[in-house]
Amino acid sequence: MARRSDAIRIARVICITGIVYVHAWTGLSGHDLELARGTPQELLRWMLMEVFGRSAVPLLGLISGWLVAGSTQTCNWRAHVARKARTIALPMILWNVLAIVLVSGTAWLFGMAAPVPQSVRWLAEEILILTRPPDIDVQMPFLRDLFLCMVAAPLLVRLPSAMLLSVVLAAGTCHVLGLGPPILLRPSILMFFTIGILVRRTNLAERLAGWPALCALLPFAVLMPLHLFLSIGEAGGSRPVEIAAVDLVARVSASLAVWWLAWRLVETRALPLFRRIEPYMFFYFCAHLILLWLFGPLLGKLTGKLGSPLYPLFLIAQPFLILGAVIALATLLLKVAPGAAGVLSGGRLKASYGIKVDRKAGSARMQGRPAPRG
């Protein structure tokens, strides 16, 4: 269904753009951020994180599960895993290496406050994400756990729905209780990935998108301020289980709200823009933290840190500044090194829109419109 495919594209753009607010440059250390809790600008940052970032990882995981459940290639385990290694694991590793070279290299050469290699073990953790999130590319555990979900996908798609519900409940419980590492760093990713398979089986995507606005948006409108209150309140540190439970339910409601919105945006004039932007989103996801590390402090000199009068403008603009930089960088890479662009984007930039590379001219031209990729 064309509308459903376009809604998936729009949801990806909204979710991955919203992730930037979660990682937005503030110019403050962790200690200083704690001291800033409750201030108007810190509340604005939390609001942006809640509204735009809360649905990001859950809905992306759910979409991945939905797409895998409909693929005829999933049941061939060896070919499926090899394909996902090329499109998920390999780009993750390469971007982690680039993060160390660029961010740690800048820290060494220019004294920027950023992590630098401490040991061989540290390098292995940063590159392969063995047992903990990286210090630089903190968003990459999503790709790590998503790849593990893809490894298990040929089994999951064969399980009866009752057993899939058990997987959902077990993963959700692990999220609430803080269990899962070092196997799954974020067990909620498995939960939403499995929900995506169930949604495909029950044809729920269109039915949920057709809900009235009150039913689709009210749960998140109620849970967002509750989660915000619990997270930044004085008692937040003493109620981790309660916060994690509310967080999980808020993520479910946020995913529903964004999917409902994406379904309606298909019928607006913004659809062509979303179609043009979506092929860059994987590249955007992988590159945004490196760009924030490198250029956040430079632009922050003009606006000031969190707490400065101009900082709210910089905070709101960060996803759009990163998007412009990513599109320019990816377009240049497609022209001068299309093979590298293809690998770093997991094949998405090379294949999206039917990009054909003219090796003699060293350029790329785009034709047609792609189907959503898993």
Side-chain angles (χ1 to χ4, degrees):
M1 182 180 179
R3 181 170 182 174
R4 185 174 57 205
S5 297
D6 282 329
I8 288 173
R9 292 188 185 93
I10 293 172
R12 280 174 168 163
V13 173
I14 294 173
C15 289
I16 296 177
T17 302
I19 288 175
V20 176
Y21 284 124
V22 179
H23 304 137
W25 183 87
T26 63
L28 302 182
S29 65
H31 175 69
D32 291 335
L33 272 177
E34 285 293 321
L35 296 177
R37 276 194 174 193
T39 62
Q41 290 192 14
E42 175 63 3
L43 284 174
L44 172 63
R45 188 177 79 94
W46 270 93
M47 286 288 290
L48 291 171
M49 289 168 57
E50 290 287 328
V51 172
F52 296 104
R54 184 62 49 192
S55 65
V57 168
L59 189 51
L60 290 172
L62 196 152
I63 289 171
S64 296
W66 188 91
L67 291 170
V68 158
S71 173
T72 58
Q73 302 176 22
T74 302
C75 291
N76 185 339
W77 187 84
R78 182 172 296 180
H80 167 76
V81 172
R83 186 170 60 255
K84 296 307 175 183
R86 290 193 304 270
T87 60
I88 298 176
L90 178 59
M92 178 194 77
I93 292 170
L94 294 177
W95 278 106
N96 286 340
V97 172
L98 282 173
I100 295 171
V101 172
L102 295 174
V103 176
S104 297
T106 302
W108 265 333
L109 294 174
F110 303 106
M112 181 180 74
V116 295
Q118 304 162 11
S119 63
V120 173
R121 176 70 181 183
W122 185 89
L123 284 171
E125 290 285 359
E126 287 293 301
I127 295 172
L128 301 176
I129 316 180
L130 300 173
T131 62
R132 63 164 181 80
D135 293 331
I136 300 175
D137 266 347
V138 297
Q139 85 280 14
M140 286 302 191
F142 170 71
L143 294 184
R144 179 233 195 232
D145 284 358
L146 179 62
F147 176 68
L148 293 180
C149 290
M150 290 296 182
V151 171
L155 171 62
L156 292 174
V157 297
R158 288 181 168 92
L159 292 179
S161 296
M163 293 189 69
L164 287 180
L165 282 173
S166 299
V167 174
V168 170
L169 292 174
T173 302
C174 287
H175 173 86
V176 171
L177 298 179
L179 304 175
I183 299 172
L184 288 174
L185 299 183
R186 298 177 182 175
S188 62
I189 294 172
L190 173 60
M191 172 183 164
F192 285 98
F193 184 85
T194 308
I195 289 175
I197 298 174
L198 287 168
V199 167
R200 182 96 189 206
R201 287 186 182 179
T202 53
N203 297 314
L204 270 178
E206 287 82 0
R207 282 187 280 169
L208 292 174
W211 279 11
L214 188 65
C215 297
L217 303 180
L218 184 60
F220 181 57
V222 172
L223 289 165
M224 181 192 70
L226 175 59
H227 183 264
L228 183 63
F229 170 76
L230 292 174
S231 298
I232 67 175
E234 294 181 1
S238 62
R239 295 187 291 184
V241 174
E242 290 88 343
I243 292 175
V246 173
D247 169 78
L248 191 62
V249 181
R251 288 174 184 270
V252 174
S253 65
S255 299
L256 172 60
V258 171
W259 176 247
W260 184 91
L261 175 63
W263 190 263
R264 277 143 190 83
L265 285 173
V266 172
E267 297 182 327
T268 68
R269 294 181 179 179
L271 176 60
L273 178 61
F274 281 109
R275 283 176 175 169
R276 290 185 64 83
I277 291 174
E278 192 268 340
Y280 296 94
M281 284 297 103
F282 184 86
F283 200 97
Y284 182 103
F285 176 85
C286 295
H288 78 271
L289 254 175
I290 296 176
L291 294 175
L292 285 172
W293 275 108
L294 296 178
F295 298 106
L298 296 178
L299 294 175
K301 290 182 179 181
L302 301 176
T303 62
K305 302 176 180 179
L306 187 146
S308 303
L310 293 178
Y311 177 77
L313 296 177
F314 181 38
L315 173 63
I316 293 170
Q318 285 185 46
F320 308 102
L321 294 173
I322 295 295
L323 178 61
V326 163
I327 291 177
L329 178 61
T331 301
L332 176 63
L333 198 60
L334 275 169
K335 291 180 178 179
V336 301
V343 173
L344 289 174
S345 66
R348 293 159 181 84
L349 280 180
K350 193 173 181 180
S352 294
Y353 290 109
I355 289 176
K356 296 180 181 179
V357 177
D358 182 347
R359 295 184 179 179
K360 293 182 179 179
S363 62
R365 63 183 183 274
M366 292 185 289
Q367 302 174 344
R369 189 168 79 240
R373 296 171 60 90

